[in-house]
Amino acid sequence: MSLRKNIFANYVGTGFVVLAPMLALPYYLHTLGSSVWGLVSFITTLQALLSLFDAGISQALVREFAVGKTQNQQKQYKLGIVLFGFERIYWIFAILTSVIVLLASHQITHYWLKLDNLNVDQAQIAVFGAVALFTFQFPGSVYRSLLVGTQAQVLLNVIMTAGALIRHLGGVLVVLTWPTLSAYLIWQVCSVALETVVRSFFAWRTLQVKRSESYWDKSLMQGMLLPIIGMSGATLLGALTVQMDKIILSGMVSIEKFGYYAIASTLATGVLQLLYPIVNAATPHAVNLRHDVQALRKFNFKYAKVVTSIILISGLIYYIVGYDFLNWWLKIPDIAKQVNALLSVLLIGTALNALYTIGYINWIVKGLFSRILQVNLISLVVSIISIPIMVAKFGLLGASLGWITINAIGLLLSLGWLKH
């Protein structure tokens, strides 16, 4: 019942988190203009790139919090010490990383982006906005990991839903009143900062441990950091690989064309998020089955059936109403046509990625972080070599083919769970 309740809550929360920016996008696009929206897409990509450092740590922490969850007050205090330690690591890392990016802002705006008619000042504002968003958003992940790992996922989704509504409903009102990139970014930064503060409050409340009673435990943190850094390094490569199509494309095409690809990519990953509520609920559940081989195997096949059903239903819906939806949503036929051509290809890679999560969860459950590292390293090397070639030959479509390639590799190498 707890698993089903968490899955339901995750779907509601994820639905709001995915739909809010999608519904707001046409207003952002029409109010700010396609070129400035290209900068907003770049901000999103830069944020995703900076957030790669959290990818493995957050997943490893979910596992630690799931394993450590107990009614024993002494062990609860231990989790409080873990949260206290990583809370500080996250904030310090966010600040230091932001400073480094700010120092490199000149190189980013002059040598990375193809600005066309946009001036450099707006590009600088975009970089500053991305840095500010990262500074306040990155630490919120450690609180999310605790709420997921302790299965307080209903509470987490209430926070995420409220945050998405404030961020994007308010964002639309802001850009309609002050149609500038600066106004958009100021609202986004304030909204993200508020959500992180709320996550922090409820994370500590869930533990029933006061922050003032926790402290920095050097020996405990050293014992945890080594395996978590290993997991972080492995997942970092995978997350970097997932972003590689946009990273390479942003330096090879105009900022306006990059914006079109970013819309298609956002939709493709948005469809993938239909699976994340199940993944978030399933991971701590699967961790609890790690000592029961038969139960874990049964769970794997049940999970595989659910994933396959989601892929088939989503594909059928897009085939029937996909292009009409894009026309209605974007309200510009030429842009809708370009996005549809890209999205049709990207969704194939998304389906492969969804199937890949079955093996990926099993690697996390069994602590096979080296396996994740191997697969992600192979995929990263292939993407770095193949995507520039395909983009040079096929343009935006080439980046979409790169997305299919890296997910196909991950899926083929993750099928070990099928064996006894």
Side-chain angles (χ1 to χ4, degrees):
M1 289 299 296
S2 177
L3 178 62
R4 292 177 181 176
K5 181 176 68 175
N6 285 335
I7 290 175
F8 177 76
N10 288 341
Y11 265 112
V12 173
T14 301
F16 276 97
V17 171
V18 172
L19 288 176
M22 287 178 60
L23 294 175
L25 189 148
Y27 296 96
Y28 294 150
L29 181 62
H30 287 277
T31 305
L32 299 175
S34 58
S35 295
V36 175
W37 177 252
L39 281 179
V40 174
S41 301
F42 167 73
I43 291 170
T44 304
T45 301
L46 185 57
Q47 268 189 278
L49 184 60
L50 293 175
S51 298
L52 296 181
F53 297 101
D54 163 63
I57 298 177
S58 62
Q59 293 180 18
L61 284 177
V62 166
R63 186 180 188 277
E64 292 297 326
F65 288 131
V67 171
K69 181 189 176 186
T70 178
Q71 298 299 320
N72 185 301
Q73 190 63 30
Q74 188 64 33
K75 291 185 177 180
Q76 287 290 94
Y77 277 119
K78 181 180 178 181
L79 288 185
I81 294 171
V82 172
L83 178 60
F84 182 91
F86 278 97
E87 183 180 57
R88 274 140 186 77
I89 290 173
Y90 268 65
W91 277 105
I92 292 171
F93 181 84
I95 294 170
L96 291 178
T97 303
S98 297
V99 171
I100 292 172
V101 174
L102 286 177
L103 293 175
S105 61
H106 177 80
Q107 285 71 26
I108 293 173
T109 55
H110 286 77
Y111 303 110
W112 183 352
L113 296 175
K114 295 182 180 296
L115 297 176
D116 293 337
N117 297 325
L118 290 173
N119 60 54
V120 176
D121 290 339
Q122 282 191 304
Q124 289 279 8
I125 291 172
V127 174
F128 294 157
V131 166
L133 283 168
F134 173 76
T135 301
F136 290 106
Q137 190 171 47
F138 186 77
S141 181
V142 69
Y143 308 122
R144 177 189 174 280
S145 296
L146 181 132
L147 294 171
V148 171
T150 57
Q151 300 194 42
Q153 296 178 28
V154 174
L155 172 60
L156 173 63
N157 282 283
V158 170
I159 297 171
M160 290 171 57
T161 298
L165 290 175
I166 292 171
R167 184 173 179 179
H168 294 289
L169 179 59
V172 169
L173 296 176
V174 166
V175 298
L176 289 175
T177 307
W178 300 284
T180 65
L181 180 62
S182 299
Y184 168 84
L185 288 172
I186 290 171
W187 180 261
Q188 296 295 311
V189 171
C190 291
S191 303
V192 165
L194 176 62
E195 183 174 345
T196 295
V197 170
V198 173
R199 286 190 188 188
S200 171
F201 174 80
F202 282 104
W204 283 102
R205 187 174 179 178
T206 299
L207 274 184
Q208 297 181 339
V209 176
K210 294 181 180 179
R211 183 189 275 108
S212 58
E213 296 175 347
S214 300
Y215 55 91
W216 177 267
D217 188 323
K218 183 178 179 180
S219 60
L220 176 63
M221 294 303 296
Q222 286 179 338
M224 292 189 64
L225 279 174
L226 187 59
I228 286 180
I229 288 174
M231 175 61 179
S232 178
T235 311
L236 173 63
L237 290 177
L240 180 61
T241 304
V242 168
Q243 296 294 328
M244 192 54 62
D245 57 338
K246 293 185 285 295
I247 294 171
I248 293 173
L249 194 64
S250 65
M252 295 184 68
V253 300
S254 69
I255 195 71
E256 185 173 355
K257 288 184 177 180
F258 175 72
Y260 300 155
Y261 184 86
I263 293 172
S265 179
T266 298
L267 288 170
T269 54
V271 172
L272 187 60
Q273 289 189 49
L274 290 172
L275 188 64
Y276 288 165
I278 299 176
V279 174
N280 289 337
T283 301
H285 180 77
V287 169
N288 293 331
L289 298 177
R290 64 191 182 280
H291 300 305
D292 189 337
V293 177
Q294 292 302 320
L296 182 59
R297 182 170 175 80
K298 183 179 179 181
F299 169 80
N300 286 337
F301 281 100
K302 185 180 293 186
Y303 179 87
K305 291 178 183 177
V306 172
V307 172
T308 304
S309 299
I310 291 174
I311 290 172
L312 293 176
I313 293 172
S314 300
L316 181 61
I317 292 173
Y318 181 76
Y319 178 78
I320 296 173
V321 301
Y323 183 64
D324 292 332
F325 166 76
L326 290 174
N327 264 320
W328 168 82
W329 179 47
L330 297 173
K331 298 178 176 62
I332 303 177
D334 289 342
I335 295 179
K337 185 176 180 180
Q338 293 187 58
V339 171
N340 181 63
L342 296 169
L343 183 57
S344 300
V345 180
L346 287 169
L347 286 175
I348 298 173
T350 297
L352 298 175
N353 188 290
L355 292 169
Y356 167 68
T357 61
I358 308 170
Y360 187 82
I361 289 176
N362 278 264
W363 290 335
I364 292 177
V365 169
K366 299 173 184 178
L368 298 177
F369 302 147
S370 60
R371 183 62 174 163
I372 299 174
L373 177 63
Q374 293 169 5
V375 172
N376 290 342
L377 182 59
I378 293 171
S379 298
L380 178 62
V381 172
V382 171
S383 67
I384 291 174
I385 295 173
S386 63
I387 292 178
I389 297 173
M390 288 189 284
V391 170
K393 187 171 183 179
F394 301 109
L396 297 180
L397 185 61
S400 304
L401 296 174
W403 172 245
I404 291 179
T405 302
I406 60 178
N407 284 298
I409 292 173
L411 174 60
L412 289 174
L413 297 177
S414 71
L415 297 177
W417 64 271
L418 288 169
K419 301 177 182 178
H420 284 287

